[in-house]
Amino acid sequence: MNKILKSIFATVVVLATTACSSNEPDLPENPDKPDNIEASSTDVIYQANPRFFGENDCLNGITAQLPRISEMGCDILWIMPIYEPGEFKAGGSPYCIRNFKALNPRYGTMDDFKQLVNTAHAKGMKVMLDWIANHTAWDCPWITEHPDWYQKDANGEIMSPTLGWLDVAQLKVNNPEVQAAMKEAMKFWVDQFSIDGYRCDYADGVPHEFWSSVIKELRAKNPDFIMLAESGNPTYFADGFDMIYDWDCASTISKAFNGTHASNIIKEATEAFDKVPEGKSMLRFVFNHDTASENNVATMFGTPEGVRGAYVLVSMLNGKGTPMIYSSMDVEGLTGKLSFFDYRPLDFSTALSDEYKAINNAFIESSKVRSGSLADYSTKDVAIFTRSITGHTLFVAVNTSGEAQSFKSPIALTGTSMKNLITGASSNVPLMIDLAPYGYTILMN
């Protein structure tokens, strides 16, 4: 085991002879649920920003990293926009699209992309692309060929979205011709490259009727086609989306790592999952391209060491959630804000990849128990929770502070033999558990 794992995962038995106090939290009996309870999803998404994988030939850079990404336990690869970007009025955003059926030439060729998808599929991974249905670049051919496809201001001039994105032009997303052109472009990548899904940018800016229609047409080609809406609105589930965003997840966890009560993390997750129907999911993340570009990645979770503990909470709390790793979380020494407009090849860390692999293995192994009842035992600085089904309990604790913390185990677990899902070792749960700064432990019987 590498040094990071040894230092973070060790739990130390202390004060073994201390008597149990009457106000110590008591774990309720395992609920009377059938043993054939449906397991939670084991999907893990890796969000790949191509500009972090090379100054040029970015797609080949991602392909070269697929063995490592797959080995981490990530089975869905979401690639940020790969399309030919605009130049007129553009600021370098990959979400400013000139041609929806062409690649950014700096990223590589169509053959490079085909090789990427084929390699991912050979490793049992699915590939999702980013889709932008709300707007185009100002030099998109549609501007001159179909000016009536765009929203216009009082002076009859094509306008930008009201959100203030001046580098793009707002489409008339209710226009049937616009919707037909979008559908054709979305099907192009399915027909030509057999991609497995789309993450739909700013889904709220496009009518439900379009999403419902295009999802049916895409699922006619692939019944298992994955659709992720960039929206926190649960009404998109009815359109056929598999996942929506848990937008409050990262900010709530960040606040706990910077001083608020750790129990807020469990409360937020519970409220988020209440919105999710059976068979659907919430995307949960520590960083994505937006949060990493808006916050100092070295301090959002206290210190860089806190990021992995935060990811434990993102993943292991999930009953109806899908965790995501953003390319850059697996890089050591990053500080400041990470603009996704820039080309910035990163040096990915084997040690961090091994740590995420261990956490994801615990996430996968606990899939059935994660569907069980949730109990919160958090202290101010340690997020502590259990999930339980008949005969089995998952016990997770994460130190959200930069100081060592000691806390009492739930009475019903003290002395119980449980397996450490990170190290694989089994031992009796001690009365007191010590966690290093930003340390964590994941146990299950």
Side-chain angles (χ1 to χ4, degrees):
M1 185 181 296
N2 61 55
K3 292 181 179 178
I4 292 177
L5 294 179
K6 286 181 179 178
S7 63
I8 293 181
F9 305 127
T11 60
V12 181
V13 181
V14 297
L15 303 177
T17 60
T18 302
C20 298
S21 64
S22 59
N23 61 356
E24 184 176 330
D26 190 11
L27 185 72
E29 292 296 322
N30 284 328
D32 185 17
K33 290 190 177 182
D35 289 334
N36 63 350
I37 186 171
E38 185 176 347
S40 299
S41 169
T42 58
D43 288 336
V44 178
I45 295 177
Y46 186 92
Q47 182 190 1
N49 180 351
R51 300 180 184 197
F52 289 167
F53 290 81
E55 292 284 354
N56 295 285
D57 295 324
C58 308
L59 298 176
N60 287 334
I62 296 174
T63 302
Q65 292 292 331
L66 284 179
R68 180 186 64 84
I69 295 170
S70 174
E71 187 68 17
M72 278 198 292
C74 303
D75 56 353
I76 299 175
L77 179 71
W78 158 23
I79 309 175
M80 289 174 63
I82 61 174
Y83 318 107
E84 181 183 357
E87 295 180 359
F88 180 61
K89 294 187 181 181
S93 170
Y95 290 88
C96 175
I97 310 301
R98 177 161 57 192
N99 189 338
F100 288 98
K101 294 195 287 186
L103 285 173
N104 181 336
R106 286 187 66 172
Y107 287 7
T109 67
M110 291 293 195
D111 284 341
D112 293 333
F113 182 62
K114 186 180 291 288
Q115 179 63 28
L116 190 163
V117 175
N118 290 344
T119 301
H121 285 171
K123 293 186 172 298
M125 301 179 70
K126 296 181 179 181
V127 177
M128 295 172 57
L129 291 182
D130 230 318
W131 196 259
I132 302 90
N134 179 262
H135 51 261
T136 73
W138 285 99
D139 48 3
C140 174
W142 293 354
I143 291 272
T144 54
E145 295 171 2
H146 304 284
D148 55 315
W149 286 8
Y150 290 84
Q151 293 279 7
K152 296 179 181 178
D153 61 21
N155 297 319
E157 300 293 331
I158 294 174
M159 57 187 288
S160 293
T162 55
L163 296 169
W165 301 335
L166 301 180
D167 60 333
V168 292
Q170 174 68 55
L171 286 164
K172 285 184 179 178
V173 289
N174 285 308
N175 185 315
E177 292 182 351
V178 172
Q179 294 187 7
M182 274 293 165
K183 288 180 180 180
E184 182 201 8
M186 293 177 82
K187 292 175 185 176
F188 170 82
W189 298 95
V190 180
D191 294 337
Q192 298 297 316
F193 301 97
S194 299
I195 67 162
D196 305 286
Y198 283 115
R199 175 266 186 189
C200 298
D201 184 68
Y202 187 42
D204 296 291
V206 180
H208 286 281
E209 293 76 13
F210 171 77
W211 293 128
S212 178
S213 177
V214 74
I215 289 172
K216 288 177 183 176
E217 294 181 27
L218 291 169
R219 295 243 168 89
K221 295 177 177 293
N222 177 358
D224 297 320
F225 202 78
I226 305 166
M227 292 293 286
L228 164 61
E230 190 201 19
S231 172
N233 188 340
T235 61
Y236 286 93
F237 288 129
D239 296 342
F241 280 100
D242 302 286
M243 281 181 276
I244 63 172
Y245 271 53
D246 182 357
W247 278 116
D248 295 328
C249 173
S251 60
T252 301
I253 297 175
S254 174
K255 289 174 184 176
F257 274 73
N258 287 281
T260 64
H261 202 288
S263 64
N264 291 338
I265 299 169
I266 287 82
K267 181 177 183 290
E268 184 280 327
T270 301
E271 293 174 351
F273 294 147
D274 283 345
K275 304 175 185 177
V276 183
E278 290 299 324
K280 303 293 186 176
S281 182
M282 277 271 191
L283 180 73
R284 288 168 55 82
F285 51 86
V286 174
F287 292 124
N288 70 351
H289 63 281
D290 287 318
T291 56
S293 68
E294 296 165 356
N295 298 275
N296 185 337
V297 296
T299 60
M300 188 173 175
F301 300 95
T303 70
E305 289 71 29
V307 174
R308 276 81 76 191
Y311 181 71
V312 169
L313 294 167
V314 160
S315 57
M316 299 307 298
L317 257 173
N318 282 338
K320 295 180 180 179
T322 299
M324 185 183 78
I325 295 172
Y326 177 48
S327 51
S328 69
M329 287 170 57
D330 42 357
V331 176
E332 295 190 58
L334 290 180
T335 61
K337 299 177 181 180
L338 305 180
S339 172
F340 56 90
F341 284 38
D342 300 332
Y343 288 81
R344 183 179 178 177
L346 300 179
D347 185 13
F348 298 97
S349 164
T350 299
L352 290 182
S353 298
D354 287 345
E355 187 168 352
Y356 287 118
K357 175 183 176 180
I359 298 168
N360 287 335
N361 284 344
F363 172 75
I364 293 167
E365 188 172 349
S366 63
S367 62
K368 192 170 184 178
V369 186
R370 282 189 289 102
S371 297
S373 60
L374 177 66
D376 179 10
Y377 302 97
S378 300
T379 67
K380 180 182 182 302
D381 294 314
V382 185
I384 309 166
F385 66 90
T386 61
R387 281 198 178 271
S388 300
I389 62 173
T390 302
H392 299 282
T393 295
L394 172 70
F395 175 46
V396 179
V398 178
N399 184 356
T400 65
S401 78
E403 298 181 359
Q405 298 291 330
S406 180
F407 62 93
K408 287 185 179 181
S409 306
I411 292 173
L413 292 182
T414 303
T416 302
S417 178
M418 300 190 82
K419 178 182 177 182
N420 186 315
L421 295 188
I422 298 298
T423 67
S426 294
S427 61
N428 292 338
V429 177
L431 172 62
M432 299 295 296
I433 294 178
D434 282 352
L435 289 180
Y438 305 112
Y440 52 89
T441 188
I442 306 172
L443 308 175
M444 191 173 73
N445 63 9

